[in-house]
Amino acid sequence: MSEIVVAIYVVAYRELLRFVRERSRLISSFAMPLLFLIVFGAGFTRTIGVMAPGVDFVQFMYPGIIAMTVLMNSVMSGLSVVWDREFGFLKEILVAPLARSGIVLGKATGAAVISVIQAGVMLLLAPLVDVAITPLLVLKLVPLLILISFSLSGLGLLIASRMRSLQGFQLVVQLLVFPLIFLSGVFFPVNNVPAWLELISKLNPLTYAVDAVRQLFLAGQQGALEAIGITLFGHTMTVFHDVLVIAGFGLLLMLLATWSFTRQE
Amino acid sequence: MLNPNVIEADSLSRRFDSFVAVDSVSFSVSEGEVFAFLGPNGAGKTTTINMLCTLLRPTGGTATVNGYDVVRQRSGVRRSIGLVFQDPTLDEHLTAEQNLRFHAYAYRIPRHLAEKRIGDLLELVELSDRRRSSVRTFSGGMKRRLEIARGLLHNPRVMFLDEPTLGLDPQTRRHIWEHILQLRERHGFAIFLTTHYMDEAEVAGRVAIMDNGHIIALDTPERLKDQLGGDVITVEAQDVDATKAELLRRFEVVPLEEDGHLSFSMPHGNRFLPRLLRTLESRVISVGLRRPTLEDVFLHVTGHAIRDREADPVSQARAHVIQHRRGR
Protein backbone atom coordinates (compact mmCIF):
# COMPACT_ATOMS: atom_id res chain seq x y z
CA MET A 1 0.00 0.00 0.00
CA SER A 2 2.64 2.50 1.03
CA GLU A 3 4.49 1.86 -2.23
CA ILE A 4 1.42 3.22 -4.01
CA VAL A 5 1.22 6.31 -1.80
CA VAL A 6 4.93 7.07 -2.10
CA ALA A 7 4.72 6.58 -5.88
CA ILE A 8 1.79 8.98 -6.22
CA TYR A 9 3.59 11.53 -4.12
CA VAL A 10 7.01 11.46 -5.83
CA VAL A 11 5.68 11.20 -9.36
CA ALA A 12 3.19 14.05 -8.87
CA TYR A 13 5.84 16.10 -7.08
CA ARG A 14 8.13 15.81 -10.08
CA GLU A 15 5.36 16.68 -12.56
CA LEU A 16 4.77 19.89 -10.64
CA LEU A 17 8.47 20.68 -10.41
CA ARG A 18 8.74 20.31 -14.16
CA PHE A 19 5.64 22.37 -14.79
CA VAL A 20 7.09 25.22 -12.77
CA ARG A 21 10.53 24.94 -14.34
CA GLU A 22 9.43 24.78 -17.95
CA ARG A 23 8.45 28.33 -18.72
CA SER A 24 7.61 27.60 -22.35
CA ARG A 25 5.08 24.96 -21.39
CA LEU A 26 3.62 27.25 -18.77
CA ILE A 27 3.13 30.04 -21.29
CA SER A 28 1.83 27.89 -24.14
CA SER A 29 -0.71 26.20 -21.91
CA PHE A 30 -2.31 29.57 -21.23
CA ALA A 31 -1.76 31.06 -24.64
CA MET A 32 -3.93 28.72 -26.67
CA PRO A 33 -7.16 28.91 -24.65
CA LEU A 34 -6.70 32.64 -24.41
CA LEU A 35 -6.28 32.85 -28.17
CA PHE A 36 -9.47 30.86 -28.75
CA LEU A 37 -11.35 33.06 -26.36
CA ILE A 38 -10.18 36.32 -27.89
CA VAL A 39 -10.28 35.36 -31.56
CA PHE A 40 -13.51 33.38 -31.55
CA GLY A 41 -15.08 35.65 -29.01
CA ALA A 42 -14.37 38.85 -30.89
CA GLY A 43 -14.99 37.23 -34.24
CA PHE A 44 -18.26 35.47 -33.62
CA THR A 45 -20.06 37.16 -30.77
CA ARG A 46 -21.82 39.76 -32.91
CA THR A 47 -22.53 37.41 -35.80
CA ILE A 48 -23.93 34.64 -33.66
CA GLY A 49 -25.66 36.78 -31.13
CA VAL A 50 -27.48 35.25 -28.18
CA MET A 51 -27.06 31.50 -27.61
CA ALA A 52 -29.63 31.24 -24.85
CA PRO A 53 -31.51 33.73 -22.73
CA GLY A 54 -28.85 36.01 -21.25
CA VAL A 55 -25.92 34.01 -22.71
CA ASP A 56 -23.90 35.39 -25.62
CA PHE A 57 -21.34 33.40 -27.58
CA VAL A 58 -18.33 34.25 -25.42
CA GLN A 59 -20.22 33.42 -22.27
CA PHE A 60 -21.23 30.15 -23.89
CA MET A 61 -17.72 29.33 -25.00
CA TYR A 62 -15.84 30.46 -21.89
CA PRO A 63 -16.77 27.44 -19.69
CA GLY A 64 -16.06 25.22 -22.69
CA ILE A 65 -12.58 26.70 -23.01
CA ILE A 66 -11.92 26.02 -19.34
CA ALA A 67 -13.03 22.42 -19.83
CA MET A 68 -10.84 22.20 -22.94
CA THR A 69 -7.79 23.46 -21.05
CA VAL A 70 -8.26 20.70 -18.51
CA LEU A 71 -8.90 18.06 -21.20
CA MET A 72 -5.80 18.94 -23.19
CA ASN A 73 -3.57 19.24 -20.20
CA SER A 74 -4.71 15.90 -18.82
CA VAL A 75 -4.29 13.98 -22.05
CA MET A 76 -0.80 15.43 -22.22
CA SER A 77 0.10 13.70 -18.96
CA GLY A 78 0.55 10.73 -21.26
CA LEU A 79 3.06 12.74 -23.24
CA SER A 80 5.22 13.03 -20.14
CA VAL A 81 5.32 9.23 -19.87
CA VAL A 82 6.43 8.89 -23.49
CA TRP A 83 8.91 11.69 -22.90
CA ASP A 84 10.31 9.89 -19.84
CA ARG A 85 10.64 6.70 -21.83
CA GLU A 86 12.43 8.44 -24.68
CA PHE A 87 14.85 10.27 -22.42
CA GLY A 88 15.48 7.35 -20.09
CA PHE A 89 14.03 8.73 -16.88
CA LEU A 90 11.24 6.14 -16.95
CA LYS A 91 13.87 3.51 -16.09
CA GLU A 92 14.80 5.39 -12.94
CA ILE A 93 11.11 5.32 -11.99
CA LEU A 94 10.60 1.67 -12.93
CA VAL A 95 13.54 0.29 -10.95
CA ALA A 96 12.62 2.28 -7.85
CA PRO A 97 10.56 0.47 -5.20
CA LEU A 98 7.35 2.12 -6.42
CA ALA A 99 4.05 0.41 -7.29
CA ARG A 100 3.20 0.61 -10.99
CA SER A 101 -0.37 1.63 -10.21
CA GLY A 102 0.98 4.44 -8.02
CA ILE A 103 3.14 5.69 -10.87
CA VAL A 104 0.06 5.92 -13.11
CA LEU A 105 -1.98 7.61 -10.38
CA GLY A 106 0.91 9.97 -9.63
CA LYS A 107 1.02 11.15 -13.24
CA ALA A 108 -2.75 11.71 -13.12
CA THR A 109 -2.53 13.54 -9.80
CA GLY A 110 0.16 15.83 -11.16
CA ALA A 111 -1.98 16.57 -14.20
CA ALA A 112 -5.02 17.26 -12.01
CA VAL A 113 -3.17 19.77 -9.86
CA ILE A 114 -1.74 21.52 -12.91
CA SER A 115 -5.21 21.53 -14.50
CA VAL A 116 -6.73 23.24 -11.48
CA ILE A 117 -3.95 25.85 -11.49
CA GLN A 118 -4.54 26.56 -15.18
CA ALA A 119 -8.30 26.71 -14.74
CA GLY A 120 -7.70 29.12 -11.86
CA VAL A 121 -5.77 31.46 -14.15
CA MET A 122 -8.58 31.20 -16.72
CA LEU A 123 -11.05 32.20 -14.03
CA LEU A 124 -9.16 35.45 -13.58
CA LEU A 125 -10.25 36.34 -17.10
CA ALA A 126 -13.92 36.01 -16.21
CA PRO A 127 -14.58 39.76 -15.81
CA LEU A 128 -13.33 40.32 -19.37
CA VAL A 129 -16.16 38.18 -20.74
CA ASP A 130 -18.77 39.35 -18.28
CA VAL A 131 -19.10 36.09 -16.42
CA ALA A 132 -19.80 36.22 -12.71
CA ILE A 133 -17.65 33.99 -10.48
CA THR A 134 -19.04 33.14 -7.06
CA PRO A 135 -17.28 31.25 -4.27
CA LEU A 136 -19.93 28.57 -4.55
CA LEU A 137 -19.17 28.12 -8.24
CA VAL A 138 -15.44 27.70 -7.51
CA LEU A 139 -16.23 25.25 -4.74
CA LYS A 140 -18.20 23.07 -7.14
CA LEU A 141 -15.91 23.63 -10.09
CA VAL A 142 -12.66 22.45 -8.50
CA PRO A 143 -13.76 18.88 -7.67
CA LEU A 144 -15.46 18.60 -11.06
CA LEU A 145 -12.30 19.66 -12.88
CA ILE A 146 -10.23 17.22 -10.83
CA LEU A 147 -12.58 14.40 -11.79
CA ILE A 148 -12.46 15.39 -15.47
CA SER A 149 -8.70 15.64 -15.31
CA PHE A 150 -8.34 12.16 -13.83
CA SER A 151 -10.60 10.65 -16.49
CA LEU A 152 -8.76 12.22 -19.37
CA SER A 153 -5.36 11.42 -17.85
CA GLY A 154 -6.57 7.83 -17.99
CA LEU A 155 -7.00 8.23 -21.75
CA GLY A 156 -3.59 9.88 -22.20
CA LEU A 157 -1.81 7.32 -20.02
CA LEU A 158 -3.51 4.42 -21.75
CA ILE A 159 -2.28 5.66 -25.12
CA ALA A 160 1.16 6.37 -23.69
CA SER A 161 1.57 2.97 -22.06
CA ARG A 162 2.19 1.43 -25.48
CA MET A 163 3.77 4.34 -27.33
CA ARG A 164 7.48 4.32 -27.94
CA SER A 165 7.95 7.66 -29.64
CA LEU A 166 6.88 11.22 -29.09
CA GLN A 167 5.83 11.48 -32.73
CA GLY A 168 3.57 8.45 -32.37
CA PHE A 169 1.88 9.96 -29.37
CA GLN A 170 1.43 13.33 -31.08
CA LEU A 171 -0.12 11.55 -34.04
CA VAL A 172 -2.67 9.75 -31.88
CA VAL A 173 -3.47 12.99 -30.10
CA GLN A 174 -4.05 14.75 -33.41
CA LEU A 175 -6.14 11.97 -34.93
CA LEU A 176 -8.12 11.01 -31.86
CA VAL A 177 -8.00 13.60 -29.14
CA PHE A 178 -8.39 16.82 -31.12
CA PRO A 179 -11.51 15.54 -32.92
CA LEU A 180 -12.92 14.42 -29.56
CA ILE A 181 -12.35 17.88 -28.14
CA PHE A 182 -13.81 19.71 -31.15
CA LEU A 183 -16.87 17.45 -31.13
CA SER A 184 -17.51 17.88 -27.43
CA GLY A 185 -19.60 21.03 -27.62
CA VAL A 186 -16.84 23.46 -26.65
CA PHE A 187 -17.58 25.68 -29.65
CA PHE A 188 -21.20 24.89 -30.48
CA PRO A 189 -24.25 23.40 -28.74
CA VAL A 190 -24.57 19.77 -29.77
CA ASN A 191 -28.38 20.02 -29.98
CA ASN A 192 -28.44 22.26 -32.94
CA VAL A 193 -26.33 20.31 -35.46
CA PRO A 194 -26.96 17.64 -38.15
CA ALA A 195 -28.10 14.32 -36.75
CA TRP A 196 -24.84 12.45 -37.53
CA LEU A 197 -22.80 15.10 -35.71
CA GLU A 198 -25.19 15.02 -32.82
CA LEU A 199 -24.83 11.26 -32.59
CA ILE A 200 -21.03 11.42 -32.57
CA SER A 201 -21.06 14.17 -29.99
CA LYS A 202 -23.37 12.27 -27.71
CA LEU A 203 -21.22 9.16 -27.92
CA ASN A 204 -18.22 11.29 -26.99
CA PRO A 205 -17.63 11.17 -23.22
CA LEU A 206 -15.93 14.56 -23.36
CA THR A 207 -19.26 16.12 -24.28
CA TYR A 208 -20.52 15.41 -20.79
CA ALA A 209 -17.43 16.93 -19.21
CA VAL A 210 -17.95 20.15 -21.16
CA ASP A 211 -21.66 20.11 -20.39
CA ALA A 212 -21.10 19.71 -16.66
CA VAL A 213 -18.66 22.62 -16.49
CA ARG A 214 -20.97 24.81 -18.57
CA GLN A 215 -23.99 23.99 -16.46
CA LEU A 216 -22.16 25.11 -13.31
CA PHE A 217 -21.43 28.46 -14.94
CA LEU A 218 -24.92 28.96 -16.36
CA ALA A 219 -26.76 27.77 -13.28
CA GLY A 220 -28.12 31.26 -12.63
CA GLN A 221 -29.49 31.81 -16.13
CA GLN A 222 -33.16 30.97 -16.40
CA GLY A 223 -33.91 28.93 -19.51
CA ALA A 224 -30.25 28.41 -20.50
CA LEU A 225 -30.25 24.73 -19.73
CA GLU A 226 -33.32 24.17 -21.88
CA ALA A 227 -31.61 25.89 -24.80
CA ILE A 228 -28.18 24.30 -24.71
CA GLY A 229 -28.40 21.33 -22.35
CA ILE A 230 -27.85 17.82 -23.66
CA THR A 231 -30.84 15.58 -24.00
CA LEU A 232 -30.34 11.85 -23.96
CA PHE A 233 -33.37 9.62 -24.64
CA GLY A 234 -35.65 12.59 -24.06
CA HIS A 235 -34.05 13.38 -20.72
CA THR A 236 -31.96 16.50 -20.11
CA MET A 237 -28.65 15.64 -18.45
CA THR A 238 -28.05 17.21 -15.06
CA VAL A 239 -24.60 17.89 -13.65
CA PHE A 240 -24.95 14.79 -11.52
CA HIS A 241 -25.65 12.60 -14.54
CA ASP A 242 -22.76 14.12 -16.41
CA VAL A 243 -20.53 13.36 -13.45
CA LEU A 244 -21.63 9.72 -13.48
CA VAL A 245 -20.72 9.42 -17.16
CA ILE A 246 -17.30 11.05 -16.68
CA ALA A 247 -16.54 9.00 -13.58
CA GLY A 248 -17.50 5.73 -15.28
CA PHE A 249 -15.48 6.58 -18.36
CA GLY A 250 -12.55 7.69 -16.23
CA LEU A 251 -12.55 4.64 -14.02
CA LEU A 252 -12.54 2.34 -17.03
CA LEU A 253 -9.68 4.20 -18.71
CA MET A 254 -7.67 4.43 -15.52
CA LEU A 255 -7.99 0.70 -14.92
CA LEU A 256 -7.00 -0.05 -18.50
CA ALA A 257 -4.05 2.34 -18.28
CA THR A 258 -2.82 0.80 -15.03
CA TRP A 259 -3.26 -2.70 -16.39
CA SER A 260 -1.45 -1.87 -19.61
CA PHE A 261 1.35 -0.09 -17.77
CA THR A 262 1.82 -2.89 -15.24
CA ARG A 263 2.00 -5.56 -17.89
CA GLN A 264 4.70 -3.94 -19.97
CA GLU A 265 8.34 -4.78 -19.58
CA MET B 1 20.71 -13.37 5.88
CA LEU B 2 21.52 -17.02 5.41
CA ASN B 3 23.01 -16.47 2.01
CA PRO B 4 26.33 -14.67 1.96
CA ASN B 5 26.07 -14.11 -1.80
CA VAL B 6 24.59 -10.82 -2.83
CA ILE B 7 23.72 -12.14 -6.29
CA GLU B 8 22.89 -15.73 -7.08
CA ALA B 9 21.85 -16.74 -10.60
CA ASP B 10 20.89 -20.28 -11.46
CA SER B 11 20.36 -21.27 -15.13
CA LEU B 12 19.02 -17.79 -15.79
CA SER B 13 17.63 -17.53 -19.35
CA ARG B 14 15.78 -15.07 -21.46
CA ARG B 15 14.40 -15.60 -24.92
CA PHE B 16 12.75 -13.07 -27.21
CA ASP B 17 10.40 -15.09 -29.41
CA SER B 18 12.74 -17.62 -30.98
CA PHE B 19 15.95 -15.76 -30.19
CA VAL B 20 17.76 -16.77 -27.00
CA ALA B 21 19.52 -13.67 -25.66
CA VAL B 22 20.71 -15.25 -22.41
CA ASP B 23 21.11 -18.99 -22.33
CA SER B 24 21.16 -20.63 -18.93
CA VAL B 25 23.80 -18.60 -17.13
CA SER B 26 24.76 -19.43 -13.55
CA PHE B 27 27.04 -17.41 -11.29
CA SER B 28 27.20 -15.84 -7.88
CA VAL B 29 28.60 -12.59 -6.58
CA SER B 30 29.63 -12.34 -2.96
CA GLU B 31 29.25 -9.45 -0.56
CA GLY B 32 31.50 -6.53 -1.55
CA GLU B 33 32.93 -8.24 -4.62
CA VAL B 34 33.61 -6.53 -7.96
CA PHE B 35 32.25 -8.81 -10.65
CA ALA B 36 32.49 -8.06 -14.36
CA PHE B 37 30.64 -9.32 -17.40
CA LEU B 38 32.92 -8.95 -20.37
CA GLY B 39 31.70 -9.43 -23.90
CA PRO B 40 30.77 -7.78 -27.18
CA ASN B 41 27.52 -5.93 -27.83
CA GLY B 42 24.65 -8.36 -28.17
CA ALA B 43 26.32 -10.98 -25.95
CA GLY B 44 23.46 -10.78 -23.44
CA LYS B 45 25.07 -8.62 -20.76
CA THR B 46 22.42 -5.94 -20.58
CA THR B 47 19.63 -8.50 -20.80
CA THR B 48 21.14 -10.22 -17.76
CA ILE B 49 21.32 -6.93 -15.85
CA ASN B 50 17.74 -6.12 -16.74
CA MET B 51 16.59 -9.45 -15.35
CA LEU B 52 18.59 -8.98 -12.15
CA CYS B 53 17.20 -5.50 -11.57
CA THR B 54 13.57 -6.62 -12.22
CA LEU B 55 13.06 -4.72 -15.46
CA LEU B 56 12.75 -7.94 -17.44
CA ARG B 57 11.23 -11.26 -16.44
CA PRO B 58 13.44 -14.30 -16.96
CA THR B 59 11.95 -16.96 -19.22
CA GLY B 60 13.89 -19.65 -17.40
CA GLY B 61 15.95 -20.24 -14.27
CA THR B 62 16.01 -18.23 -11.06
CA ALA B 63 18.02 -15.44 -9.51
CA THR B 64 18.18 -13.72 -6.16
CA VAL B 65 19.65 -10.34 -5.28
CA ASN B 66 20.44 -9.68 -1.63
CA GLY B 67 18.41 -12.82 -0.90
CA TYR B 68 15.29 -11.57 -2.70
CA ASP B 69 13.86 -13.42 -5.69
CA VAL B 70 13.92 -11.23 -8.80
CA VAL B 71 10.44 -12.32 -9.84
CA ARG B 72 8.54 -12.83 -6.60
CA GLN B 73 10.19 -10.25 -4.34
CA ARG B 74 10.83 -7.42 -6.71
CA SER B 75 10.45 -4.62 -4.27
CA GLY B 76 13.06 -6.18 -1.97
CA VAL B 77 15.41 -6.42 -4.94
CA ARG B 78 14.73 -2.82 -5.97
CA ARG B 79 15.53 -1.48 -2.51
CA SER B 80 18.82 -3.42 -2.46
CA ILE B 81 20.30 -2.21 -5.72
CA GLY B 82 21.70 0.93 -7.29
CA LEU B 83 21.91 1.32 -11.03
CA VAL B 84 23.84 3.17 -13.66
CA PHE B 85 22.52 2.29 -17.10
CA GLN B 86 24.21 2.59 -20.48
CA ASP B 87 22.09 5.58 -21.44
CA PRO B 88 21.48 8.46 -19.07
CA THR B 89 18.31 8.20 -16.98
CA LEU B 90 18.32 11.67 -15.46
CA ASP B 91 15.57 14.25 -15.74
CA GLU B 92 17.45 16.89 -17.68
CA HIS B 93 14.91 19.58 -16.91
CA LEU B 94 15.56 19.32 -13.21
CA THR B 95 18.64 20.38 -11.29
CA ALA B 96 21.22 17.95 -9.93
CA GLU B 97 19.83 18.14 -6.42
CA GLN B 98 16.22 17.86 -7.60
CA ASN B 99 17.14 14.63 -9.37
CA LEU B 100 18.70 13.31 -6.19
CA ARG B 101 15.76 14.44 -4.09
CA PHE B 102 13.31 12.61 -6.33
CA HIS B 103 15.37 9.49 -5.81
CA ALA B 104 15.58 10.00 -2.04
CA TYR B 105 11.80 10.38 -1.74
CA ALA B 106 11.15 7.39 -3.99
CA TYR B 107 13.38 5.22 -1.78
CA ARG B 108 11.84 6.71 1.36
CA ILE B 109 15.00 8.12 2.86
CA PRO B 110 14.00 10.33 5.80
CA ARG B 111 14.26 13.98 4.80
CA HIS B 112 16.93 15.20 7.22
CA LEU B 113 19.09 12.20 6.34
CA ALA B 114 18.47 12.68 2.62
CA GLU B 115 19.71 16.28 2.57
CA LYS B 116 22.88 15.30 4.36
CA ARG B 117 23.59 12.36 2.06
CA ILE B 118 22.83 14.42 -1.03
CA GLY B 119 25.35 17.00 0.13
CA ASP B 120 27.99 14.38 0.94
CA LEU B 121 27.63 12.47 -2.30
CA LEU B 122 27.63 15.60 -4.46
CA GLU B 123 30.82 16.56 -2.65
CA LEU B 124 32.38 13.17 -3.40
CA VAL B 125 31.58 13.26 -7.11
CA GLU B 126 32.72 16.90 -7.25
CA LEU B 127 29.42 18.38 -8.30
CA SER B 128 28.69 20.48 -5.22
CA ASP B 129 29.15 23.74 -7.06
CA ARG B 130 26.68 22.64 -9.74
CA ARG B 131 23.96 21.30 -7.47
CA ARG B 132 21.46 23.95 -8.52
CA SER B 133 22.24 23.76 -12.24
CA SER B 134 19.94 22.12 -14.74
CA VAL B 135 21.26 18.67 -15.69
CA ARG B 136 20.78 19.73 -19.32
CA THR B 137 23.91 21.85 -18.98
CA PHE B 138 26.08 18.93 -17.77
CA SER B 139 28.75 17.15 -19.80
CA GLY B 140 28.59 13.37 -20.34
CA GLY B 141 31.07 12.74 -17.53
CA MET B 142 29.22 14.97 -15.09
CA LYS B 143 25.94 13.19 -15.83
CA ARG B 144 27.61 9.85 -15.16
CA ARG B 145 29.01 11.08 -11.85
CA LEU B 146 25.60 12.37 -10.85
CA GLU B 147 24.03 9.02 -11.71
CA ILE B 148 26.63 7.21 -9.63
CA ALA B 149 25.89 9.49 -6.69
CA ARG B 150 22.17 8.91 -7.18
CA GLY B 151 22.59 5.14 -7.36
CA LEU B 152 24.35 5.19 -3.99
CA LEU B 153 21.93 7.50 -2.22
CA HIS B 154 19.88 4.71 -0.67
CA ASN B 155 22.91 2.67 0.41
CA PRO B 156 22.48 -0.32 -1.94
CA ARG B 157 24.11 -3.67 -1.26
CA VAL B 158 25.04 -4.02 -4.90
CA MET B 159 25.68 -1.45 -7.58
CA PHE B 160 24.90 -2.39 -11.18
CA LEU B 161 27.04 -0.56 -13.69
CA ASP B 162 26.01 -1.27 -17.27
CA GLU B 163 28.82 0.01 -19.51
CA PRO B 164 29.29 2.93 -17.12
CA THR B 165 31.88 4.75 -19.20
CA LEU B 166 30.53 4.10 -22.69
CA GLY B 167 31.14 7.03 -24.98
CA LEU B 168 33.36 8.93 -22.55
CA ASP B 169 36.93 10.01 -23.30
CA PRO B 170 39.78 8.10 -21.63
CA GLN B 171 40.53 10.82 -19.11
CA THR B 172 36.91 11.03 -18.00
CA ARG B 173 36.72 7.25 -17.84
CA ARG B 174 39.68 7.14 -15.47
CA HIS B 175 38.14 9.88 -13.38
CA ILE B 176 34.80 8.05 -13.12
CA TRP B 177 36.55 4.90 -12.02
CA GLU B 178 38.48 6.73 -9.33
CA HIS B 179 35.14 7.89 -7.97
CA ILE B 180 33.52 4.48 -8.14
CA LEU B 181 36.37 2.70 -6.38
CA GLN B 182 36.72 5.41 -3.77
CA LEU B 183 33.01 5.20 -2.98
CA ARG B 184 33.18 1.43 -2.79
CA GLU B 185 36.03 1.68 -0.31
CA ARG B 186 33.82 3.82 1.86
CA HIS B 187 30.48 2.03 1.54
CA GLY B 188 31.49 -1.56 0.88
CA PHE B 189 28.89 -2.38 -1.74
CA ALA B 190 29.38 -5.09 -4.37
CA ILE B 191 29.70 -4.06 -8.00
CA PHE B 192 28.18 -5.89 -10.94
CA LEU B 193 29.77 -4.45 -14.02
CA THR B 194 29.27 -5.04 -17.70
CA THR B 195 31.80 -3.76 -20.15
CA HIS B 196 33.50 -4.40 -23.41
CA TYR B 197 36.58 -2.44 -22.37
CA MET B 198 39.30 -4.88 -21.35
CA ASP B 199 41.06 -2.47 -18.99
CA GLU B 200 37.80 -1.85 -17.18
CA ALA B 201 37.30 -5.55 -16.56
CA GLU B 202 40.79 -5.66 -15.00
CA VAL B 203 39.54 -3.90 -11.85
CA ALA B 204 37.17 -6.79 -11.18
CA GLY B 205 37.87 -9.54 -8.66
CA ARG B 206 36.33 -12.00 -11.07
CA VAL B 207 35.43 -11.78 -14.74
CA ALA B 208 32.78 -13.74 -16.62
CA ILE B 209 33.38 -13.78 -20.34
CA MET B 210 30.12 -13.77 -22.20
CA ASP B 211 29.48 -14.50 -25.85
CA ASN B 212 26.23 -15.37 -27.65
CA GLY B 213 24.24 -15.54 -24.42
CA HIS B 214 26.61 -18.00 -22.70
CA ILE B 215 29.23 -17.59 -20.00
CA ILE B 216 32.24 -19.27 -21.55
CA ALA B 217 34.82 -18.54 -18.88
CA LEU B 218 34.66 -17.29 -15.32
CA ASP B 219 37.62 -16.64 -13.05
CA THR B 220 39.92 -13.96 -11.66
CA PRO B 221 41.63 -11.90 -14.38
CA GLU B 222 44.99 -13.39 -13.35
CA ARG B 223 43.88 -16.99 -13.56
CA LEU B 224 42.09 -16.37 -16.85
CA LYS B 225 45.35 -15.08 -18.26
CA ASP B 226 47.31 -17.97 -16.78
CA GLN B 227 45.01 -20.33 -18.67
CA LEU B 228 46.77 -19.19 -21.80
CA GLY B 229 49.96 -20.73 -20.45
CA GLY B 230 52.57 -18.00 -20.44
CA ASP B 231 53.33 -15.03 -22.64
CA VAL B 232 51.77 -13.99 -25.89
CA ILE B 233 54.00 -13.96 -28.95
CA THR B 234 52.81 -12.19 -32.07
CA VAL B 235 54.35 -12.71 -35.48
CA GLU B 236 53.72 -10.55 -38.50
CA ALA B 237 54.72 -12.50 -41.59
CA GLN B 238 54.82 -11.94 -45.31
CA ASP B 239 53.20 -15.26 -46.12
CA VAL B 240 50.76 -15.86 -43.32
CA ASP B 241 49.68 -19.36 -44.34
CA ALA B 242 53.20 -20.67 -44.83
CA THR B 243 54.29 -19.25 -41.49
CA LYS B 244 51.29 -20.77 -39.81
CA ALA B 245 52.15 -24.19 -41.23
CA GLU B 246 55.78 -23.85 -40.23
CA LEU B 247 54.87 -22.88 -36.65
CA LEU B 248 52.74 -25.98 -36.41
CA ARG B 249 55.41 -28.22 -37.89
CA ARG B 250 58.35 -26.98 -35.88
CA PHE B 251 56.84 -25.92 -32.54
CA GLU B 252 53.45 -27.64 -32.47
CA VAL B 253 51.59 -24.39 -31.88
CA VAL B 254 48.30 -23.46 -33.51
CA PRO B 255 48.36 -19.67 -33.78
CA LEU B 256 45.28 -17.47 -33.95
CA GLU B 257 45.17 -15.18 -36.93
CA GLU B 258 43.98 -11.62 -36.75
CA ASP B 259 44.58 -8.87 -39.38
CA GLY B 260 47.59 -10.74 -40.81
CA HIS B 261 49.13 -11.11 -37.35
CA LEU B 262 49.63 -14.54 -35.87
CA SER B 263 49.55 -14.91 -32.13
CA PHE B 264 50.09 -17.79 -29.75
CA SER B 265 51.02 -18.22 -26.14
CA MET B 266 54.20 -19.78 -24.87
CA PRO B 267 55.62 -20.29 -21.36
CA HIS B 268 58.80 -18.22 -20.81
CA GLY B 269 58.31 -16.33 -24.03
CA ASN B 270 61.51 -14.34 -23.51
CA ARG B 271 63.58 -17.53 -23.81
CA PHE B 272 61.51 -18.89 -26.68
CA LEU B 273 61.81 -15.80 -28.87
CA PRO B 274 65.51 -16.15 -29.85
CA ARG B 275 64.94 -19.81 -30.73
CA LEU B 276 61.95 -18.87 -32.87
CA LEU B 277 63.91 -16.27 -34.82
CA ARG B 278 66.85 -18.63 -35.31
CA THR B 279 64.82 -21.51 -36.69
CA LEU B 280 61.99 -19.87 -38.60
CA GLU B 281 62.52 -20.02 -42.37
CA SER B 282 59.47 -17.93 -43.34
CA ARG B 283 60.02 -14.21 -43.91
CA VAL B 284 59.03 -12.37 -40.74
CA ILE B 285 58.24 -8.64 -40.74
CA SER B 286 57.96 -8.14 -37.00
CA VAL B 287 57.66 -10.08 -33.77
CA GLY B 288 56.25 -9.06 -30.40
CA LEU B 289 56.26 -10.43 -26.87
CA ARG B 290 53.92 -9.38 -24.07
CA ARG B 291 51.99 -10.47 -21.02
CA PRO B 292 48.54 -11.75 -21.98
CA THR B 293 45.58 -9.38 -21.61
CA LEU B 294 41.93 -10.20 -21.18
CA GLU B 295 41.61 -9.48 -24.89
CA ASP B 296 43.87 -12.50 -25.54
CA VAL B 297 41.79 -14.58 -23.17
CA PHE B 298 38.68 -13.52 -25.02
CA LEU B 299 40.29 -14.37 -28.36
CA HIS B 300 41.42 -17.70 -26.98
CA VAL B 301 38.09 -18.84 -25.54
CA THR B 302 35.82 -17.52 -28.28
CA GLY B 303 38.09 -17.77 -31.30
CA HIS B 304 37.35 -14.21 -32.31
CA ALA B 305 38.20 -10.72 -31.15
CA ILE B 306 35.66 -8.57 -29.32
CA ARG B 307 35.86 -5.92 -31.99
CA ASP B 308 35.31 -8.46 -34.81
CA ARG B 309 31.99 -9.28 -33.29
CA GLU B 310 31.11 -5.65 -33.09
CA ALA B 311 31.98 -5.00 -36.70
CA ASP B 312 30.06 -8.06 -37.85
CA PRO B 313 26.81 -6.70 -39.29
CA VAL B 314 24.69 -9.72 -38.37
CA SER B 315 25.50 -9.42 -34.66
CA GLN B 316 25.05 -5.70 -34.82
CA ALA B 317 21.65 -6.13 -36.37
CA ARG B 318 20.83 -8.63 -33.68
CA ALA B 319 22.01 -6.35 -30.92
CA HIS B 320 19.81 -3.71 -32.45
CA VAL B 321 16.81 -6.03 -32.51
CA ILE B 322 17.28 -6.88 -28.85
CA GLN B 323 17.64 -3.25 -27.97
CA HIS B 324 14.46 -2.57 -29.85
CA ARG B 325 12.47 -5.39 -28.31
CA ARG B 326 13.64 -4.46 -24.93
CA GLY B 327 11.85 -1.24 -25.70
CA ARG B 328 14.34 0.81 -23.74
Side-chain angles (χ1 to χ4, degrees), chain A residues 123-204:
Chain A
L123 285 181
L124 296 178
L125 300 174
L128 291 180
V129 293
D130 239 355
V131 171
I133 308 286
T134 63
L136 184 67
L137 170 65
V138 175
L139 216 60
K140 287 179 177 169
L141 194 59
V142 169
L144 176 65
L145 294 181
I146 290 174
L147 176 71
I148 294 174
S149 180
F150 262 90
S151 297
L152 268 291
S153 292
L155 179 64
L157 293 166
L158 177 63
I159 299 170
S161 67
R162 292 295 145 146
M163 284 287 160
R164 294 283 175 261
S165 74
L166 291 170
Q167 289 87 343
F169 186 82
Q170 302 276 30
L171 189 72
V172 175
V173 166
Q174 273 166 27
L175 293 181
L176 179 74
V177 179
F178 282 166
L180 281 179
I181 287 178
F182 285 118
L183 296 175
S184 67
V186 172
F187 301 107
F188 50 82
V190 298
N191 290 336
N192 210 0
V193 291
W196 62 270
L197 193 55
E198 187 180 342
L199 180 72
I200 296 175
S201 293
K202 285 182 177 173
L203 287 174
N204 177 3

Side-chain angles (χ1 to χ4, degrees), chain A residues 1-8 11 81 85 90-108 157 161 254-255 257-265, chain B residues 50 53-57 70 74-75 78:
Chain A
M1 187 61 200
S2 63
E3 283 194 359
I4 300 179
V5 178
V6 173
I8 295 173
V11 173
V81 172
R85 185 178 285 125
L90 192 65
K91 266 193 173 172
E92 153 80 352
I93 300 176
L94 291 179
V95 294
L98 300 172
R100 295 286 192 266
S101 57
I103 297 171
V104 175
L105 284 171
K107 287 277 181 190
L157 293 166
S161 67
M254 215 46 154
L255 286 173
T258 309
W259 173 77
S260 176
F261 197 69
T262 311
R263 260 178 43 106
Q264 71 169 336
E265 288 190 319
Chain B
N50 281 346
C53 72
T54 75
L55 279 181
L56 198 62
R57 270 171 189 275
V70 296
R74 295 202 218 186
S75 115
R78 289 176 186 156

